[in-house]
């Protein structure tokens, strides 16, 4: 109402002014003397001009109103668009509130701050989207190796928080993928570095072949983590591992040759020490080697050069090596009681080398093969050889017991008497086992011969023959021992008869003697028994491998080990406590007060 009043007042003032001016114009016209027709004409022009001015103002006002309407509509549409783009749902537009009570300018003035605020929010949101978009494009380019131009189109009509969260989730996924790839690349690079160190290969040149960023010199260049880089690193690692495996095998073969030459040439430990690092690492697996330069071409060339040097030295000392290995073969044969191959004897080998008819290396290889063959055969003979040793030990105890039984002072209380008595008891138990030991040894030997389809030779003589001869001789000894005991009983009866006739004991020095089958003599002529019977050297003894080695010395010249099977025959007749001399003396001196048998 206030605006209408102001308009009416303005119109009244304008109308009054126009009337005053019209009256002043009419007065002027009267003074001039204008005709009525001219006055009407000029009044019509004046009215037309006034209408034109009013019309122009009305048109201008209408246009201004239309523009204001358009501005309000445009701002309202912008507000709606911004609110939709930003996802704002709870803001009420001032335009829609009291739509009919406000003028267009008031409405426009009221909505402008909201539009400005929404525009600021949009700019901030667009900046957030742009930053995330730039990071996504950068990381995607790093992963793809910039082979694909990834250009995300930012849709400004959708700047909602939901869309922003989608971008952020995508970015976090790419960041994790980048982190995983970076760790993988660094792990591969470290492995390449280790392999290059072991092989003595230039690391920087190796990784630069894959991508320069893997060995960057400036911090601005980021490490390439593309699929091509990862694939290139995997292929390079596989290539280096293959090379490491090949070099390790080559070095291992060269070191094996080096060890063989060292052993052949008796190389002192001081000269071997300089290759100690190499010989230590070749005992392990190639996958566990991390020592720098250990598989470099320089290292392999150094070891190869040493092998070549020793090979030349070996060629100059080949004859000496052949003789040495032949001597080792003969020593091994003596220890195992196996006859060596006479085709490579020292005399023949020396003659063949001097004549040049045989390559010394081939001759040495032949001797090495013979040594390995002897070792294998010795392993298969081990059980039988152990049994032979036990049998021979029992025979030695039997021989000792015989010596002991011939000692007149064995019952004296002197030093060691008690120990010898204990040993004699153990010896008798062992001697009783000899027949079973021989039978079992024959059976074991025959089984071995059936399995190997050859005879078991002991120093060139078939062991079964030795054992059979031993059994036969032992049987003969037992029969002779029995005859001796019978003769002894008759002698005791004769002594008893003499005692009853003459009423006194005969002197042992005047007792009649007679000869034992094993070499002890007891005379029938003067009735005396010698106090110290002598050992017989007659061939009527038990034959063991020791005695066989003497009998067959002409056939075999290689029986010279520590336990030499001498040609001296051993008597293994088991003498019981009632042995020859002690039994005779017991029957003669049992009644004398100084007899050791008196309790």
């Amino acid at each position: 109402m206030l605006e209408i009043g102001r308009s009416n007042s303005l119109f009244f003032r304008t109308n009054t002014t126009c009337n005053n001016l019209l009256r002043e114009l009419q007065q002027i016209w009267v003074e001039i003397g204008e005709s009525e027709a001219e006055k009407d004409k000029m009044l019509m022009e004046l009215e037309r001009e006034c209408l034109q001015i009013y019309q122009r103002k009305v048109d201008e006002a209408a246009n201004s109103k239309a523009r204001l309407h358009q501005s309000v509509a445009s701002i309202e549409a912008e507000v709606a668009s911004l609110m939709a783009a930003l996802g704002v749902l709870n803001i009420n537009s001032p335009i829609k509130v009291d739509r009919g009570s406000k003028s267009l300018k008031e409405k426009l003035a009221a909505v402008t701050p909201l539009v400005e605020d929404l525009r600021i929010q949009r700019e901030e949101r667009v900046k957030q989207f742009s930053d995330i978009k730039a990071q996504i494009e950068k990381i995607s380019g790093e992963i793809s190796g910039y082979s694909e131009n990834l250009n995300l189109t930012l849709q400004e009509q959708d700047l909602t928080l939901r869309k922003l969260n989608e971008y952020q989730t995508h970015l976090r996924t790419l960041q994790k993928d980048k982190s995983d790839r970076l760790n993988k690349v660094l792990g591969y690079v470290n492995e390449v570095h280790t392999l290059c160190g072991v092989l003595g290969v230039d690391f920087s040149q190796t990784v630069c072949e894959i991508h320069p960023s893997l060995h960057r010199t400036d911090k601005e260049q980021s490490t390439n983590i593309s699929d091509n880089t990862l694939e290139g690193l995997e292929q390079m690692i596989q290539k280096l591992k293959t090379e490491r495996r090949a070099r390790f095998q080559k070095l291992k073969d060269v070191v094996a040759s080096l060890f063989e030459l060292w052993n052949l040439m008796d190389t002192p430990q001081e000269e071997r020490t300089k290759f100690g690092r190499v010989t230590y690492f070749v005992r392990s697996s190639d996958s566990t080697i991390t020592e720098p330069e250990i598989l470099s071409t320089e290292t392999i060339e150094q070891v190869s050069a040493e092998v070549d040097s020793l090979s030349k030295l070996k060629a100059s000392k080949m004859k000496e090596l052949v003789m040495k290995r032949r001597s080792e073969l003969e020593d091994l044969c003596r220890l195992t009681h196996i006859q060596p191959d006479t085709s490579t004897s020292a005399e023949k080998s020396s003659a063949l080398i001097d004549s040049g008819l045989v390559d010394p290396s081939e001759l040495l290889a032949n001797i090495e093969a013979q040594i390995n063959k002897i070792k294998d055969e010795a392993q298969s003979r081990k059980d039988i050889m152990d049994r032979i040793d036990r049998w021979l030990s029992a025979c030695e105890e039997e021989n000792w017991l015989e010596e002991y039984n011939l000692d007149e002072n064995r019952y004296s209380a002197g030093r060691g008497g008690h120990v010898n008595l204990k040993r004699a008891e153990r010896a008798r138990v062992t001697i009783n086992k000899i027949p079973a030991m021989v039978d079992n040894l024959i059976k074991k030997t025959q089984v071995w011969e059936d399995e190997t389809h050859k005879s078991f030779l002991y120093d060139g003589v078939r062991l079964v023959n030795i054992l059979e001869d031993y059994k036969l001789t032992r049987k003969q000894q037992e029969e002779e021992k029995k005859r001796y005991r019978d003769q002894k009983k008759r002698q005791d009866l004769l002594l008893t008869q003499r005692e009853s006739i003459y009423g006194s004991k005969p002197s042992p020095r005047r007792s009649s003697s007679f000869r034992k089958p094993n070499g002890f003599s007891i005379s029938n002529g003067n009735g005396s028994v010698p106090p110290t019977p002598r050992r017989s050297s007659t061939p009527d003894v038990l034959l063991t491998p020791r005695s066989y080695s003497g009998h067959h010395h002409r056939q075999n010249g290689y029986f010279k080990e520590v336990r030499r099977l001498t040609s001296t025959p051993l008597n293994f007749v088991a003498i019981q406590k009632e042995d020859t001399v002690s039994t005779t003396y017991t029957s003669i001196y049992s009644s004398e007060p100084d007899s050791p048998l008196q309790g």
Side-chain angles (χ1 to χ4, degrees), residues 124-141:
E124 292 178 352
R125 191 69 57 80
V126 168
K127 185 176 181 302
Q128 288 178 318
F129 271 95
S130 298
D131 292 342
I132 295 176
K133 172 177 172 289
Q135 294 183 57
I136 290 175
E137 290 177 349
K138 181 176 180 296
I139 296 175
S140 298

Side-chain angles (χ1 to χ4, degrees), residues 193-243:
H193 184 270
T194 301
L195 290 170
C196 289
V198 171
L199 297 173
V201 179
D202 187 358
F203 167 72
S204 59
Q205 181 180 355
T206 301
V207 294
C208 285
E209 292 178 4
I210 303 172
H211 198 277
S213 67
L214 299 178
H215 188 66
R216 58 181 182 273
T217 55
D218 57 336
K219 297 182 178 179
E220 296 181 356
Q221 186 181 11
S222 60
T223 302
N224 189 278
I225 57 174
S226 64
D227 291 336
N228 291 335
T229 300
L230 288 172
E231 183 179 354
L233 285 170
E234 290 175 353
Q235 293 176 354
M236 180 58 69
I237 289 173
Q238 189 62 36
K239 178 182 177 182
L240 292 175
K241 284 183 176 179
T242 303
E243 180 66 18

Side-chain angles (χ1 to χ4, degrees), residues 16 26 30 43 221 280 312 368 409 439 513 523 595:
T16 300
Q26 288 177 349
V30 171
L43 286 173
Q221 186 181 11
Y280 172 77
K312 294 178 181 178
E368 292 288 348
N409 300 321
D439 291 338
S513 62
S523 174
S595 173

